[in-house]
């Protein structure tokens, strides 16, 4: 519905299917064709050095995703919510594609817009709790990358609603896509949330200290 409506409205759309892309890997040495420092892997340093070379030392699949983000004015993430948060495959995508020196740091996504469209089996009465955890994405990714936030669309109890309700959801999503260029954006918020193990590794010191707490 998202893609069909945007194309019907005259937008140029590029799609990434994370499952077809097999974006399951964590951020590690295999993301690079050549390492800046082969003796000690520091993810953020390697990403920064790769981006100084316009991404030339990233593997092909990451270069393709990088090019899509250079092309895009608005980025829309469509995914289900599991246990109150986005699937791990989406988090992996952020860690590997939204790299230092490209999406944040010396360069960022200033001027780009981001929107989340997600569905969950949770009933509407759990909306506040789901939104509390989902705000991590808008608080972290959008704030750090300096993106403008288009208000999200969420569909609740999708496993249990009847066909007319599902149809209503799709109609509402289509309407949001039609109005996407004229929708007011929200201010990105600062955040204080746990970070992933990969991000902890990215901030290791020259003493090779590793924090192995899964926060």
């Amino acid at each position: 519905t998202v893609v069909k409506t945007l194309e019907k409205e005259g937008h140029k759309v590029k799609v990434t299917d994370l499952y077809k892309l097999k974006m399951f890997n964590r951020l590690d040495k295999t993301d690079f064709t050549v390492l800046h420092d082969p003796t000690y892997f520091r993810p953020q340093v390697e990403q920064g050095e790769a981006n100084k070379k316009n991404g030339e030392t990233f593997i092909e699949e990451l270069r393709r995703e990088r090019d899509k983000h250079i092309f895009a004015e608005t980025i829309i993430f469509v995914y289900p919510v599991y246990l109150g948060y986005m699937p791990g495959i989406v988090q992996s995508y952020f860690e590997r594609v939204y790299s230092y020196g490209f999406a944040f740091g010396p360069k960022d996504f200033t001027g780009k817009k981001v929107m989340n469209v997600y569905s969950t089996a949770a009933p509407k009465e759990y909306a506040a709790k789901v939104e509390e955890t989902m705000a991590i994405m808008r608080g972290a990714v959008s704030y750090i990358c300096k993106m403008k936030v288009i208000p999200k669309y969420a569909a609740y109890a999708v496993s249990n609603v009847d066909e007319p309700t599902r149809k209503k959801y799709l109609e509402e999503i289509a309407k949001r896509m039609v109005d996407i260029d004229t929708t007011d954006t929200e201010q990105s918020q600062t955040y204080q949330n746990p970070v992933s193990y990969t991000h902890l590794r990215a901030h290791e010191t020259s003493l090779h200290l590793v924090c192995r707490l899964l926060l």
Side-chain angles (χ1 to χ4, degrees), residues 98-175:
Y98 281 50
S99 56
Y100 177 76
F102 176 59
F104 68 98
K107 294 184 179 180
D108 54 46
F109 286 166
T110 296
K112 294 186 183 295
K113 299 179 182 179
V114 62
M115 179 181 179
N116 288 273
V117 176
Y118 59 83
S119 60
T120 176
K124 192 81 179 265
E125 51 264 35
Y126 287 92
K129 195 63 179 176
V130 172
E131 174 59 18
E132 181 183 340
T133 55
M134 289 309 302
I136 295 174
M137 188 274 176
R138 292 192 297 281
V141 176
S142 60
Y143 180 78
I144 294 173
C145 300
K146 299 184 180 179
M147 304 171 79
K148 297 179 181 178
V149 180
I150 299 172
K152 58 84 173 60
Y153 179 85
Y156 290 91
V158 292
S159 301
N160 303 308
V161 296
D162 55 23
E163 192 57 33
T165 303
R166 290 193 183 95
K167 184 177 180 181
K168 176 175 173 288
Y169 285 157
L170 294 177
E171 290 172 348
E172 290 174 346
I173 293 170
K175 180 65 166 60

Side-chain angles (χ1 to χ4, degrees), residues 70-84:
I70 293 172
F71 162 84
E73 295 177 353
T74 301
I75 301 155
I76 303 171
F77 291 95
V78 183
Y79 52 87
V81 169
Y82 298 130
L83 299 175

Side-chain angles (χ1 to χ4, degrees), residues 27 40-45 91 95 104 191 193-206 208-215:
L27 169 56
Y40 177 47
F41 181 62
R42 290 171 291 173
Q44 199 171 76
V45 171
Q91 177 67 25
E95 291 182 355
F104 68 98
Y191 72 101
N193 284 299
V195 296
S196 72
Y197 174 66
T198 303
H199 289 144
L200 287 171
R201 286 186 58 87
H203 296 283
E204 291 173 17
T205 72
S206 59
H208 295 208
L209 300 176
V210 180
C211 178
R212 298 189 177 276
L213 288 176
L214 292 176
L215 301 178

Side-chain angles (χ1 to χ4, degrees), residues 11-28:
H11 296 280
K12 294 181 180 179
V13 181
K14 295 189 178 183
V15 178
T16 293
D17 185 325
L18 297 189
Y19 287 97
K20 288 183 179 179
L21 187 62
K22 297 182 179 179
M23 185 65 76
F24 295 103
N25 295 337
R26 66 181 185 275
L27 169 56
D28 61 19

